[in-house]
Structure formats: structure tokens, C-alpha cells
């Protein structure tokens, strides 16, 4: 019995952690308690494990160093910065201005308010990265307006909750920072890989609203013509002026980056920065012209859209743009974003002459909430460090790797199994807990599968990634992926989209809880129309979330079937080749051609003949030490 426990201590330890979590104990303390308890058990069972357990009392001396490594992790410093930035923007009223302006922009289009919520949700996700701030802001502002104009309660609730969860996948998402840290990969690479899936998810949300507005027009009506504001003196909407401003901004931005070295996403970010700079300059000049002469070159809607949209777009460039083009690290970008949010909130208070936009109380509340979240993450990380020390000491990582690599279906079988596991665990665990508990255990198995799986090798060849071919003594050729970083990034984005469903699971989804906290529970009187409005039932929120939950799962399937949405072909390096300058040499002079190597390796007297290819050729497989003697004869012995 003792030998059985020693050989199976890893699965017993993992099952004990699950039991503690299901009993309702805090995750951080469950991780630490299970880790320490099984450390003592493992040390006692080590003599009976036949080498399977490598724990000893001396390993406890490494614990302070492991905890100190958590505290000096620069990457995780971005979490409090982005959290503080999001909370400041949420309390400054930026979401209210965006929803009002974009809603007016869509006007009488059916489903216009729902489109506005989705668009603003994506914009808030790119500026805040905090789900709670997005859902609560849009729930407080847009839900009463949507109900006032007759939107279906299920559709309105689902759109608000789903749009708020875009902060999980759209950079600068907190979950992407944590996943990059736990997977040991670059945060900016994870950000670049998540942009296209985020846009796809936003587009599918809008497509669903469009389909609903076609099938059930009464569920998503447009604004009445009388409620559309920002009209010109002749009654027109002023869209021509807005279109001209957008076109001029785009042409100016393209002209500014023409011939630059930026490519791909970096080029798009620089184009956006120049475009919004031009639009802001034009709007400021127009405002000055209006104050001086009373004439305006821009329409009311064009000026309104510019002054409302440009500040968050500038903040996106300040944070996300500087990270992606390599001007700042994620921590530096988060710090600039926090300072930029304070500056925007202060400017909003000055322009609106409203002290509620920005004051000491708002800063104090944001700082307190940020400190609570940072302490929550820190304690989970410390508990995870204690748990991982023991789990690795009982060879738990090897158990998980063998369990995952032995699954049928190869790489896709592994991906399906992991995503199903994450989907069901998301019913009970927060994304922080999933990242800190499961991802470190899955990382070795994922890297092993992506390195040697035939499916991964085929994908690597299709994208032009390096593949190493080795030949063993029997002539069998084995192909492996040289660098699995693109596949690990793909895996991380898959997990991020899947963890997004943890906010939408009825009845445990956090986004549903956030919306429930601000949605009217009882009948109320509308402040504008004076009508008596029915409450939003919890069942309406749950049923409204289900279609968007299926959309998120569809995106997971798309990313799994089409890795090109995340993995990109490597760009060929552009090396400058300079031709050597030839100078006339005197007759008979020896030309110095520099240091050169013979095309074939030098032959050593007495060394065995080793083929350079085919059976018996040298390989990178180091599981067997190379032999220093020839197979048919020994090396000649030196004479005394």
C-alpha cells in the first residue's frame, strides 16, 4: 500500500486540490495547504517510491527564493497599472459619452443601439482590459436606454454581457498578460496574435444582432427620427462632412507612413496614430474658427465624433501601440496608460466643468480596488508556487505530460481535451485560478506535442517554420519543430478565448453577476418618458447569454481549425549585402581573401569513418551517448 501511494502521489495530490476547491476554501490557501501537506507526505514516502519522488527537507530552503521571484516579476506589474487605468476611465464617464455618440451615429438603423454597445465594448476593451468595468458601465448606461426604445430584454442583456467580456481577448487584456507569463512567452507576441480573434468575435456579435433584427424587427428597433440629435440647420445629419474628414485623415496617415519600415500590425497602428492626430487637429482648428468667426467647416456630428472618439483612440496608441511596435514593455505601457487615464479624466472635468468626472474620491476608490486585485493575484501566485514545488517533486508534471500525450487524436485530440476541460472548470474557477493552476501543468505537455506531433510538423512546414529532420541508427527519419513558440502562442490564444466563456456561463458567469447587480430588479418609472417599465429577470439575463456563449465556442473551433488566424509566416530578414571593393594588385602578389573554411571537414588520422547522411549519421538525439570507437575496429593504441 505504501509503494502504491508513493507511485501515485501526483494524481492523489491533484484530486485533493479539486476537493478543497469544491468545498469552497479560498484558492490561494487551498494551493498552499495542499502543497505543504503533500510535501511532508512526499518526503516520508520518498524511500518507497523507487525514485519517483525527489522531495527532501532541503528543498524547503528554496521557497523564500521562489516567492521573491513572484514579487520581482516585472511582467505582472502591468496588471495593477491596467486595472487602475480601466477603473479611472470607467468612473470618468468616458463610456457614457461613447455610447451616446455612437448610438446617435447609427441613428434609425435597426439594432443601432446594440451595434453601438458592441462597438463601444470593443473600444473599452482596448482601453481598459477590465471586464467588470465594461459590463457595469454599459449596464448602467445603455440598458435603460435599450429598454426605453423597446429592445428585447434577452437580446439587450446578452449584448451587454458579451460585449463586456471582449476585454478578455482584446489587448491589453489581463488574461493575456497572465497567460504569457505562465507560458513563458512574450506579452507583445500574445497581444499581436489575439487581435484578429478579437475582431472576429466582435464581428460575429454584430452579425448575430443583424440576423435577429431581420428575423424579429421588434426585438431590435432603431431610434425614432425625432430622437436623433446633432443635426444641421437644414435638418441633414452631416455625414458628408464626417466622411470627408475620415477620408482626409486616412490619406494623410497613408502619406505619412509611405516608404516606412513598418509592416503588418505595426503599420496599421502607426497609420491609426497619424489619422487620429490629423482628425484631432482639424477639429481643434474648426473649434477655433467657430469661436473667432462663428462659422464651422465641420458638421456637428463630425465634431462630436472626433472629440469623443479621439481621446480613447489616443490612449489605445499610447498603451497598445507603443507595446506592439516595440517602444515600450507591457509594464511601461501600462504605466503610461494609467497616467494617460488620469490626464483624460482631468481634461474631461475641465471641458465639461463637472467635478464628478474626476476628483480625489475617484482616485482613492480606483487605488483601493487595484490594491485588492493585486493582493488577490499575489496570494494566488504564492500558493501556486508552493503547490508547484511539491507537484514537480512528485513528478506530477511527467504524469500530466504522459496523460495528455497518450490521448488519441494526436495534437487535435490534445487541444479538444484541454478545451473541454477548461470549459467545464470555468463553471467553478476564475480565469486567474485557471491560469495559475492548470496552465503551468499543461505547458510541458503542450510543448512536447507541438514539437513532435505530425500535425504540428505539417502546419510548421505550411507556414515556413523551421523543421529539424533526424535519422536514427536504423534509418528512420524523425521530424520535429525547431521552435514551438508560435504554437504555444496559438495555444495561449485558444485558452484565452475559452476562458472568456467563464464570464458567460449561466448561472456562474461573472459578467452575468455584474449585469444582474445593475439591472433593475423591480418595476421602475422611466425618467424620460415617464412610462412604467417591467424589471429585468435573472432568467432573461441567462437566456440572453446563451447565444453569445455558443458564438464564443464557434470562435474556439475556428481558431483550432484555422491556425492561420493566429500563426503568421515569418518575415524574411532584409540583410544589406555590400559588394567588396576590389583594388588592383601588383603582378605576382598573393590576394588575401580573409578567413575561409574548406567545404569538407578535415580528416583526422586514425578516426573512424562516419557517414554524413543516411543510417549511422550523427543525430541530435542525446538519449544514447556517442561511441568513440569504430564499429569494426578499435582506435590504434599509442605506443609507449
Amino acid at each position: 500500500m505504501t509503494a502504491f501511494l508513493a507511485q501515485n502521489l501526483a494524481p492523489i495530490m491533484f484530486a485533493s486540490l479539486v476537493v478543497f476547491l469544491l468545498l469552497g476554501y479560498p484558492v490561494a490557501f487551498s494551493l498552499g495547504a495542499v502543497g505543504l501537506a503533500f510535501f511532508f507526505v512526499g518526503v516520508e514516502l520518498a524511500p518507497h517510491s523507487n525514485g519517483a519522488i525527489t522531495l527532501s527537507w532541503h528543498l524547503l530552503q528554496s521557497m523564500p527564493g521562489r516567492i521573491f521571484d513572484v514579487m520581482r516579476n516585472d511582467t505582472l506589474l502591468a496588471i495593477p497599472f491596467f486595472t487602475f487605468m480601466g477603473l479611472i476611465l470607467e468612473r470618468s464617464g468616458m463610456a457614457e459619452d461613447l455610447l451616446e455618440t455612437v448610438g446617435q451615429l447609427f441613428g434609425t438603423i435597426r439594432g443601432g443601439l446594440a451595434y453601438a454597445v458592441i462597438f463601444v465594448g470593443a473600444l473599452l476593451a482596448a482601453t481598459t482590459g477590465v471586464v467588470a468595468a465594461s459590463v457595469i458601465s454599459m449596464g448602467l448606461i445603455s440598458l435603460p436606454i435599450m429598454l426605453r426604445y423597446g429592445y428585447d430584454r434577452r437580446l439587450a442583456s446578452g449584448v451587454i454581457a458579451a460585449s463586456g467580456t471582449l476585454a478578455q481577448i482584446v489587448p491589453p487584456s489581463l488574461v493575456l498578460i497572465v497567460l504569457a507569463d505562465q507560458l513563458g512567452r512574450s506579452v507583445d507576441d500574445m497581444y499581436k496574435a489575439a487581435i484578429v480573434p478579437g475582431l472576429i468575435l466582435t464581428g460575429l456579435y454584430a452579425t448575430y444582432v443583424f440576423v435577429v433584427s431581420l428575423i424579429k424587427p421588434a426585438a431590435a428597433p432603431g431610434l425614432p427620427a425625432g430622437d436623433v440629435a446633432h443635426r444641421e440647420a437644414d435638418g441633414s445629419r452631416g455625414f458628408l462632412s464626417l466622411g470627408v474628414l475620415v477620408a482626409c485623415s486616412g490619406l494623410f496617415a497613408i502619406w505619412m507612413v509611405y516608404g516606412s519600415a513598418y509592416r503588418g500590425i505595426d503599420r496599421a497602428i502607426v497609420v491609426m496614430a497619424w489619422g487620429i492626430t490629423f482628425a484631432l487637429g482639424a477639429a481643434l482648428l474648426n473649434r477655433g474658427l467657430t469661436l473667432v468667426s462663428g462659422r464651422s467647416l465641420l458638421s456637428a456630428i463630425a465634431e462630436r465624433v472626433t472629440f469623443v472618439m479621439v481621446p480613447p483612440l489616443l490612449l489605445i496608441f499610447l498603451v497598445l501601440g507603443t507595446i506592439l511596435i516595440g517602444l515600450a514593455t507591457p509594464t511601461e505601457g501600462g504605466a503610461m496608460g494609467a497616467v494617460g487615464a488620469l490626464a483624460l479624466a482631468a481634461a474631461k472635468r475641465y471641458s465639461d466643468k463637472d467635478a464628478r468626472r474626476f476628483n480625489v474620491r475617484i482616485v482613492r476608490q480606483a487605488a483601493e480596488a487595484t490594491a485588492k486585485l493585486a493582493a488577490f493575484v499575489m496570494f494566488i501566485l504564492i500558493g501556486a508556487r508552493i503547490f508547484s514545488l511539491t507537484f514537480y517533486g512528485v513528478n506530477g508534471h511527467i504524469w500530466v505530460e504522459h496523460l495528455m500525450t497518450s490521448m488519441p487524436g494526436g495534437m487535435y485530440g490534445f487541444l479538444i481535451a484541454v478545451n473541454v476541460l477548461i470549459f467545464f472548470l470555468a463553471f467553478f474557477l476564475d480565469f486567474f485560478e485557471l491560469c495559475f493552476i492548470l496552465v503551468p501543468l499543461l505547458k510541458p505537455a503542450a510543448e512536447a506535442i507541438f514539437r513532435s506531433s505530425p500535425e504540428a510538423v505539417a502546419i510548421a512546414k505550411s507556414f515556413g517554420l523551421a523543421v529539424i529532420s533526424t535519422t536514427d541508427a536504423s534509418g528512420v527519419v524523425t521530424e520535429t519543430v525547431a521552435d514551438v513558440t508560435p504554437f504555444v502562442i496559438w495555444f495561449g490564444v485558444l485558452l484565452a478565448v475559452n476562458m472568456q466563456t467563464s464570464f458567460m456561463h449561466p448561472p456562474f458567469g461573472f459578467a452575468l453577476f455584474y449585469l444582474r447587480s445593475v439591472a433593475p430588479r423591480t418595476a421602475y418609472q422611466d425618467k424620460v418618458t415617464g412610462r412604467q417599465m417591467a424589471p429585468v429577470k435573472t432568467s432573461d439575463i441567462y437566456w440572453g447569454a446563451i447565444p453569445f456563449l455558443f458564438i464564443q465556442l464557434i470562435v474556439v473551433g475556428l481558431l483550432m481549425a484555422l491556425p492561420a488566424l493566429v500563426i503568421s509566416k515569418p518575415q524574411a530578414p532584409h540583410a544589406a549585402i555590400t559588394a567588396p571593393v576590389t583594388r588592383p594588385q601588383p603582378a605576382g602578389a598573393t590576394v588575401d581573401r580573409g578567413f575561409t573554411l574548406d567545404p569538407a571537414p578535415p580528416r583526422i588520422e586514425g578516426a573512424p569513418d562516419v557517414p554524413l547522411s543516411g543510417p549511422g549519421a550523427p543525430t541530435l538525439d542525446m538519449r544514447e551517448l556517442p561511441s568513440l570507437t569504430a564499429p569494426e575496429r578499435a582506435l590504434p593504441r599509442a605506443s609507449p
Side-chain angles (χ1 to χ4, degrees):
M1 184 64 180
T2 303
F4 174 80
L5 290 176
Q7 294 291 333
N8 297 275
L9 196 58
I12 296 173
M13 181 179 176
F14 188 79
S16 301
L17 175 64
V18 174
V19 171
F20 269 83
L21 295 177
L22 293 178
L23 288 176
Y25 288 100
V27 176
F29 302 128
S30 298
L31 286 168
V34 171
L36 287 177
F38 276 86
F39 187 94
F40 299 144
V41 174
V43 171
E44 297 298 327
L45 292 179
H48 309 281
S49 65
N50 196 19
I53 299 177
T54 58
L55 295 175
S56 65
W57 295 116
H58 300 290
L59 276 178
L60 280 179
Q61 298 176 1
S62 66
M63 188 56 63
R66 294 171 65 88
I67 294 176
F68 185 70
D69 287 340
V70 172
M71 293 187 289
R72 67 180 182 182
N73 190 331
D74 292 339
T75 302
L76 295 180
L77 268 178
I79 294 177
F81 285 140
F82 285 126
T83 304
F84 181 80
M85 177 183 71
L87 294 174
I88 289 292
L89 293 177
E90 182 255 331
R91 287 165 168 79
S92 67
M94 186 187 73
E96 182 178 355
D97 294 337
L98 284 171
L99 284 168
E100 191 272 337
T101 302
V102 178
Q104 291 290 332
L105 198 60
F106 283 103
T108 58
I109 298 176
R110 281 187 301 189
L113 287 177
Y115 295 136
V117 169
I118 294 171
F119 179 80
V120 172
L123 204 57
L124 289 177
T127 52
T128 65
V130 182
V131 174
S134 300
V135 175
I136 292 175
S137 298
M138 293 190 295
L140 286 172
I141 300 163
S142 61
L143 184 58
I145 299 175
M146 297 175 80
L147 298 180
R148 178 186 308 154
Y149 289 109
Y151 271 73
D152 182 78
R153 280 165 167 72
R154 296 182 178 182
L155 177 63
S157 302
V159 165
I160 293 172
S163 301
T165 60
L166 288 173
Q168 282 288 97
I169 187 64
V170 175
S173 164
L174 297 183
V175 68
L176 293 176
I177 296 175
V178 177
L179 280 172
D181 177 71
Q182 296 299 305
L183 291 172
R185 294 308 187 270
S186 170
V187 176
D188 56 344
D189 289 342
M190 193 75 77
Y191 277 177
K192 289 180 180 179
I195 290 177
V196 173
L199 294 176
I200 292 174
L201 204 54
T202 305
L204 288 179
Y205 288 167
T207 303
Y208 172 73
V209 172
F210 176 74
V211 172
V212 170
S213 65
L214 289 180
I215 298 175
K216 295 176 61 179
L223 290 177
D227 290 346
V228 177
H230 306 295
R231 292 185 180 273
E232 299 301 296
D234 58 358
S236 64
R237 297 292 310 278
F239 283 150
L240 178 60
S241 175
L242 179 61
V244 171
L245 178 62
V246 172
C248 292
S249 301
L251 291 174
F252 174 78
I254 293 174
W255 177 69
M256 289 299 296
V257 300
Y258 180 77
S260 66
Y262 292 109
R263 295 291 182 271
I265 295 176
D266 297 347
R267 190 181 186 90
I269 290 173
V270 176
V271 166
M272 183 188 74
W274 281 116
I276 60 179
T277 302
F278 179 88
L280 180 60
L284 290 174
L285 289 175
N286 182 75
R287 177 65 62 88
L289 179 64
T290 304
L291 293 176
V292 172
S293 64
R295 300 180 57 185
S296 176
L297 299 178
L298 295 178
S299 63
I301 189 68
E303 187 173 292
R304 172 73 179 178
V305 168
T306 302
F307 282 126
V308 171
M309 297 287 293
V310 163
L313 290 175
L314 280 176
L315 193 61
I316 290 175
F317 174 75
L318 183 66
V319 177
L320 191 58
T322 54
I323 294 174
L324 295 183
I325 65 178
L327 294 179
T329 65
T331 302
E332 296 166 347
M336 290 191 296
V339 175
L342 291 172
L344 285 182
K348 198 68 179 173
R349 170 179 174 167
Y350 174 77
S351 62
D352 294 353
K353 296 181 174 57
D354 186 358
R356 294 174 300 176
R357 296 284 193 177
F358 182 69
N359 50 53
V360 177
R361 181 170 171 268
I362 288 177
V363 177
R364 185 176 66 249
Q365 290 176 346
E368 289 176 355
T370 302
K372 290 179 182 178
L373 180 65
F376 168 75
V377 172
M378 183 64 66
F379 271 97
I380 291 182
L381 266 175
I382 292 173
R385 285 287 188 173
I386 299 172
F387 180 85
S388 64
L389 175 66
T390 304
F391 197 71
Y392 277 66
V394 298
N395 282 335
H397 58 297
I398 298 177
W399 168 68
V400 173
E401 182 176 343
H402 289 172
L403 182 66
M404 293 298 174
T405 55
S406 61
M407 285 186 175
M411 182 186 72
Y412 288 105
F414 164 75
L415 291 176
I416 292 173
V418 168
N419 279 280
V420 170
L421 176 66
I422 293 290
F423 178 79
F424 284 106
L425 286 179
F427 277 85
F428 314 104
L429 299 177
D430 182 46
F431 73 92
F432 276 125
E433 297 156 1
L434 290 172
C435 288
F436 292 138
I437 297 174
L438 282 184
V439 174
L441 302 181
L442 296 173
K443 176 189 171 185
E447 290 180 342
I449 290 174
F450 292 144
R451 182 168 286 109
S452 58
S453 170
E455 298 90 349
V457 172
I459 293 174
K461 289 182 176 179
S462 66
F463 284 101
L465 303 176
V467 175
I468 299 175
S469 299
T470 57
T471 307
D472 60 11
S474 59
V476 178
V477 179
T478 303
E479 293 181 320
T480 56
V481 179
D483 183 12
V484 296
T485 295
F487 291 91
V488 176
I489 295 291
W490 175 41
F491 181 63
V493 173
L494 269 174
L495 294 183
V497 178
N498 200 340
M499 289 180 190
Q500 191 182 20
T501 62
S502 67
F503 283 87
M504 296 292 290
H505 281 315
F508 305 105
F510 285 97
L512 309 183
F513 292 156
Y514 299 146
L515 185 59
R516 174 70 278 176
S517 67
V518 297
R521 295 176 178 269
T522 58
Y524 67 99
Q525 187 176 14
D526 186 74
K527 296 179 180 179
V528 177
T529 62
R531 289 184 299 155
Q532 193 73 11
M533 306 295 294
V536 177
K537 296 182 291 186
T538 303
S539 59
D540 294 334
I541 298 176
Y542 288 168
W543 283 109
I546 290 177
F548 294 94
L549 180 63
F550 280 109
I551 290 175
Q552 292 172 348
L553 295 178
I554 289 173
V555 173
V556 172
L558 281 176
L559 294 179
M560 199 180 301
L562 302 173
L565 297 175
V566 177
I567 303 176
S568 58
K569 292 186 177 181
Q571 297 181 357
H574 301 282
I577 301 176
T578 305
V581 179
T582 57
R583 299 174 180 173
Q585 299 288 337
T590 303
V591 179
D592 183 11
R593 301 186 182 277
F595 178 76
T596 59
L597 288 175
D598 293 333
R603 178 168 180 79
I604 301 175
E605 183 67 26
D609 293 327
V610 179
L612 300 179
S613 62
T619 70
L620 296 178
D621 189 355
M622 298 301 294
R623 287 174 293 184
E624 296 183 3
L625 294 177
S627 175
L628 298 179
T629 59
E632 68 278 357
R633 61 184 178 85
L635 290 173
R637 183 177 300 174
S639 57

